[in-house]
Amino acid sequence: MTYIHDTITKLQKTSPAQAEFYQAVEEVLDSLQPILETSEKYQLHSIIERMIEPERQIMFRVPWVDDQGKVQVNKGYRIEFNSALGPYKGGLRFHPSVNAGIIKFLGFEQIFKNALTGLPIGGGKGGANFDPKGKSDGEIMRFCQSFINELYRHIGPTTDVPAGDIGVGAREIGYMFGQYKRLTGNYDGVFTGKSLLWGGSLVRKEATGYGCVYFAQYMLEAKGDILAGKRCLVSGAGNVAIYTIEKLYQLGAIPVSCSDSSGTIYHEAGVNLDTLKELKEVRKVRLNEYVTAHPDAKFIPVADYPADGNAVWRLPAELAFPCATQNELSEADAKALVANGCIGVSEGANMPSTQDAVEVFLDAKIHYGPGKAANAGGVATSQLEMAQNASMQRWSFEEVDEKLKVIMKNIFISASETAAEFGEPHNLVLGANIAGFRKVADAMIEQGVV
Ligand code: NDP
Ligand code: 2IT
């Protein structure tokens, strides 16, 4: 405990004002206690001290011209956190809330998540405090081009391979790839999440959501339960939420909610996937329009949310899939979920539950799949895209989906076996953190002091 406290205090001095980063580090260190106490080699090699310091942090100005001819300036980031297992790999987030602490927490999580996939990828993350909402297509393109005018020199198919995250999908990846190609002359697999027309992989778009549902299925099946027939709460209405909902339907479950930053939709009969895709993938409008097409659904605006949490988690259901953003599920939300009969949580988003909320789930001994295990299907399928690009092959939807299932199953097995090894069989937070950590730490030791 003193060790964790001292490490966080030191971080607060060397990397001030990065609350989300301290939160992510504290959770991992808490899980690692049993292994750090018994294994001197990690202390001798200062593995923790090295792991919490990114190998490289790039911050840059992103100037661009808006449709009115005014010059706008944003702050761009790429944090190349750890390359022990492979080239830096992780998404880019474009959202006004982005700052160094958020990108660092995401990059830190990515190290362990990528290790858990068993694939040769290191951890990185990037983005900008750019708000894509309300921007024209031309503005998005000019922003992406300016972002790459700086970032291009730091990335490459064997060095650092970005992908999407909040606010970055196939359109943005297209503009960034185009500018990278123009600057370098290279047509290579430097991005994942590319369009299917020019190098993208089938299933990448669906992979995070599908993988998160497969993970829930494996957690339930391990205890002799099934997903079919379960009522499910989903938050978010973006890439991860939409394909979580799609896979829930395919496996016979009933998703009854979704949300965006304006509010929550509760549709007891089941969220209509076609309407959701039309609103969010095609028209890109707010979620309140959903009730126009479905008057039997209810829209709860953010103004009506409880003071201590998020309306979506106060609805009755058996499973919960947080798929929007970090810290979107509070301790009070977690208690409400458990009280309402929720028996499992599988996290599509990165660190969506606060530390206190996680404690509630672990104490209640419900199924709890932490983000770095449950949402690893996205980055895993990104690596499958890299493999196809490097070998100039194209695999079928079924082939990629099958590989995704196997990867998710192996992550579940690895996290649960490690949890059992350390005497807490139901604690997949402990299991995922230790299993991921061991791979990275042992690789770092073998590669010397770098
Ligand atoms: P999208 O941009 O496609 O969608 C994000 C969704 O979350 C939107 O509905 C958005 O609402 C909502 N949201 C975002 N920020 C907030 C906020 N501060 N408050 C309330 N709602 C918010 O992103 P993704 O679906 O790709 O990402 C969702 C989560 O999944 C993130 O945590 C991301 O890191 C994680 N993730 C994504 C992966 C991927 O492959 N894309 C892989 C693994 C994890 P609105 O549009 O109103 O802002
Ligand atoms: O958080 C994540 O794992 C992602 N946003 C996907 C990263 C990737 O490289 O596909």
Side-chain angles (χ1 to χ4, degrees):
M1 275 312 196
T2 334
Y3 173 69
I4 299 178
H5 177 263
D6 290 353
T7 307
I8 301 293
T9 308
K10 213 162 141 192
L11 269 185
Q12 284 166 339
K13 292 209 178 90
T14 57
S15 304
Q18 299 188 344
E20 292 85 358
F21 178 49
Y22 313 145
Q23 183 185 338
V25 171
E26 196 168 338
E27 184 216 271
V28 169
L29 291 186
D30 191 45
S31 296
L32 294 180
Q33 280 191 84
I35 188 169
L36 294 177
E37 276 162 13
T38 55
S39 177
E40 274 179 24
K41 69 177 174 176
Y42 298 131
Q43 290 171 33
L44 180 68
H45 289 270
S46 294
I47 288 297
I48 296 298
E49 290 76 358
R50 282 197 275 161
M51 246 185 215
I52 60 177
E53 189 60 40
E55 289 177 18
R56 195 171 300 103
Q57 306 188 54
I58 304 147
M59 292 191 205
F60 49 99
R61 181 171 74 191
V62 189
W64 56 282
V65 183
D66 70 17
D67 286 347
Q68 283 68 49
K70 182 168 173 17
V71 176
Q72 301 284 347
V73 182
N74 287 100
K75 215 169 156 74
Y77 302 85
R78 185 74 184 166
I79 308 235
E80 298 182 333
F81 225 119
N82 193 300
S83 62
L85 296 181
Y88 309 106
K89 183 83 198 85
L92 296 171
R93 176 177 290 191
F94 292 169
H95 192 272
S97 63
V98 161
N99 58 39
I102 289 191
I103 299 299
K104 269 175 84 174
F105 114 66
L106 290 163
F108 187 70
E109 292 281 293
Q110 201 82 45
I111 303 171
F112 305 96
K113 183 196 304 190
N114 293 5
L116 280 170
T117 66
L119 301 167
I121 38 180
K125 198 85 188 190
N129 63 348
F130 171 72
D131 188 358
K133 279 201 192 75
K135 300 291 187 298
S136 70
D137 203 51
E139 289 176 322
I140 299 279
M141 181 181 74
R142 291 193 294 280
F143 177 81
C144 289
Q145 291 178 336
S146 180
F147 186 82
I148 289 302
N149 281 346
E150 177 57 35
L151 191 63
Y152 85 95
R153 68 189 91 243
H154 304 289
I155 59 178
T158 58
T159 50
D160 185 353
V161 185
D165 192 82
I166 291 178
V168 178
R171 171 180 62 165
E172 291 73 22
I173 295 289
Y175 292 144
M176 289 192 274
F177 176 79
Q179 188 70 356
Y180 168 86
K181 179 163 60 87
R182 186 172 193 198
L183 291 167
T184 62
N186 296 332
Y187 201 112
D188 54 31
V190 68
F191 288 94
T192 60
K194 299 186 289 294
S195 157
L196 295 175
L197 296 176
W198 46 271
S201 172
L202 287 159
V203 194
R204 175 60 190 91
K205 181 174 70 173
E206 295 85 356
T208 311
Y210 280 19
C212 171
V213 177
Y214 294 146
F215 197 86
Q217 190 185 22
Y218 299 139
M219 289 195 294
L220 290 165
E221 283 176 1
K223 295 279 183 251
D225 200 351
I226 54 166
L227 189 68
K230 297 270 187 310
R231 299 180 69 75
C232 305
L233 299 175
V234 178
S235 66
N239 172 266
V240 179
I242 288 173
Y243 292 96
T244 294
I245 290 173
E246 182 166 289
K247 183 52 74 179
L248 284 170
Y249 275 126
Q250 287 173 7
L251 296 181
I254 310 138
V256 294
S257 74
C258 57
S259 67
D260 67 9
S261 55
S262 70
T264 291
I265 288 289
Y266 179 46
H267 197 170
E268 224 182 320
V271 170
N272 187 296
L273 187 58
D274 291 337
T275 305
L276 182 61
K277 284 186 178 179
E278 172 68 19
L279 295 178
K280 289 298 179 180
E281 292 188 331
V282 184
R283 293 177 48 213
K284 299 183 194 294
V285 293
R286 313 308 303 162
L287 214 42
N288 59 340
E289 290 202 25
Y290 182 95
V291 290
T292 315
H294 304 283
D296 58 324
K298 191 176 163 205
F299 179 70
I300 310 163
V302 168
D304 294 348
Y305 279 18
D308 56 358
N310 188 335
V312 69
W313 311 125
R314 307 302 169 96
L315 300 166
E318 292 155 286
L319 297 173
F321 295 83
C323 297
T325 194
Q326 65 275 356
N327 294 327
E328 57 164 315
L329 197 161
S330 68
E331 181 182 14
D333 293 331
K335 286 182 176 159
L337 279 170
V338 173
N340 282 333
C342 176
I343 58 154
V345 179
S346 187
E347 295 183 338
N350 284 306
M351 207 169 74
S353 308
T354 64
Q355 261 172 316
D356 292 336
V358 174
E359 285 306 320
V360 172
F361 297 143
L362 294 177
D363 287 348
K365 291 203 160 39
I366 64 169
H367 301 287
Y368 173 61
K372 62 170 77 72
N375 73 38
V379 74
T381 308
S382 275
Q383 199 280 344
L384 302 179
E385 182 173 330
M386 291 164 72
Q388 291 168 80
N389 293 161
S391 60
M392 299 188 186
Q393 289 180 26
R394 184 129 202 242
W395 303 337
S396 70
F397 193 97
E398 292 68 29
E399 252 178 298
V400 182
D401 193 31
E402 197 45 47
K403 287 181 201 292
L404 171 63
K405 280 185 202 159
V406 171
I407 292 167
M408 295 313 296
K409 182 84 182 239
N410 287 340
I411 294 174
F412 172 69
I413 291 171
S414 161
S416 33
E417 285 184 354
T418 309
E421 181 188 334
F422 286 86
E424 294 189 44
H426 81 285
N427 188 343
L428 299 184
V429 178
L430 183 95
N433 282 332
I434 294 185
F437 170 82
R438 281 206 284 222
K439 287 188 192 174
V440 182
D442 293 343
M444 286 173 73
I445 291 172
E446 287 181 11
Q447 291 172 17
V449 181
V450 292

